[in-house]
Amino acid sequence: MTDTVLNAREDARARGGQTSEWMPYLPASSSPYCPDGVEPSALTWAETVAPGGYTHKVVARGTRIRFDDPTGDACAHVIVYNALEPVERLNVADTLKIPWQAYLDAGHPLLSGDGRVLASIVGDTSGHHDAFCGTTTEAWCLQKYGDAAPEGPFPAGRSLFVKAAAKHGLAPRDLPPSVSFFQGVRVDADGAFEWRGSAGEGKSVELLAELPLLVLVANVPHPLDPRADYVVGPLRVHAWRSKPTGPDDDRFQVTPEAHRAYLNTIDYAEARGL
Amino acid sequence: MTSSVPVGATFAPDSPLDWSEPLVPGEVVLDERVAPNASWSAVVRKGHVLTIVDVGGNQSGDCLIYNAADTEERYSAPDTLAWQGNAYVRTGTVLRSNLGNPLMTVVGNEIDRQDTIGGACSKESNTLRYGHHVMFHHGCRENFLSEGQKHGLGLRDLVSNLNWFMNVPVEEDGALGIVDGMSAPGKRVAVRAEMDVLVLVSNCPQMNNPCNDFNPTPLRMLVVEP
């Protein structure tokens, strides 16, 4: 009965209190999937992102962000920005060049173009990731799936990033190349990409926010996923309060490049009073 | 007149230079020289072919490309690589935009492969690679900002770029880096515009890695109407 405002209100309110497979959990401490070893009261972000869905959050410096791939079919396309000055953003070229390593793994920093670490990869049970191919465009989905409508069954990663960015006042020109987790690619001797796909179900990746971050996440198939169908699983996201990398952490001086990147990051944070 | 400004290095006087000529035949509509350390930009009309001459050999020309009518559409390294399924740029590579559209196509190339993985050098990233003592050095990101602002472009518009004549291999274990170049004086690359495009180039001033043989030399930019 939705014929009057009163009835419509009753009808709408009766819909509350339910759950779905894909939803944010508020408060975050109520998440049914709190990661092992994490105190639920420390959680600041808990969510299951739908297949073909996206999420975005501003998190404090020192936040630990965990992505879980419960089915082995998630693909987390990620862009991070300095939340205080979003013109500072993920720079994939520097993220590969500075550490002298193309394949993302635990210990790898996600660098901005300003010589600082936006986030450190501090945990990784997958090892199947990609920093070459970015995410999908509408043109890509159209030629692969025959459709690319953002509201339809074959949304492009870029379409989702456009909307996520817009919700923080950012325009399409603010979308740099992204990285993706849980679906891997390798480069052969001739430069050709070899598809490695997923490392299987139950894998996780953990990032540590080294500055206040705006995090954009799109959960769509990797562009080189060889399956003809649009196959992507749910993605879990949990974040909790922790500490940014400092001199007491092994990774602080793991390489001379990382050491100077952390020094630059701390220099910025201290000057801003963070 | 003298200056106390610590500007970047330029090529040794005895460096061999080969100014070469366009890689494809046609009427020359633009012929400009880019000095060491300097930046350059021009609109290349649809169907015209831009030849970049590596005049002194192994001189990285960092390059960004935009749809001249709407610069929100710009070069995308990941789209370029994903569509072709290969990490290197060679003859036939279609340089794609962030919308997946062809901006330009490599129609001629006189070295084994061109790079679009290594990105641009900057004052900031130089501090990570080499130390804070080189923070004062010039960098390609500085050039992109100086040249880009002439066209209303800023930091938000800088993305992973192309590096003509720079060599960045990816080894079996993922090791990646800028190594000695495979080019030589007079070697060329030619790219055909698939729409009206704005091309930005930084003649790389980097003096801390082999992207210019530690000897910054000029580039020659030639546009022909075939």
Side-chain angles (χ1 to χ4, degrees), chain B residues 129-149:
Chain B
R129 279 180 91 86
Y130 314 111
H132 292 91
H133 62 291
V134 298
M135 180 74 172
F136 76 95
H137 287 191
H138 187 40
C140 286
R141 196 181 189 227
E142 302 292 305
N143 272 341
F144 281 144
L145 290 174
S146 302
E147 195 68 32
Q149 61 84 28

Side-chain angles (χ1 to χ4, degrees), chain B residues 70-84:
Chain B
D70 175 9
T71 57
E72 199 150 78
E73 179 172 19
R74 69 276 308 269
Y75 177 67
S76 169
D79 284 284
T80 297
L81 300 185
W83 281 78
Q84 71 170 10

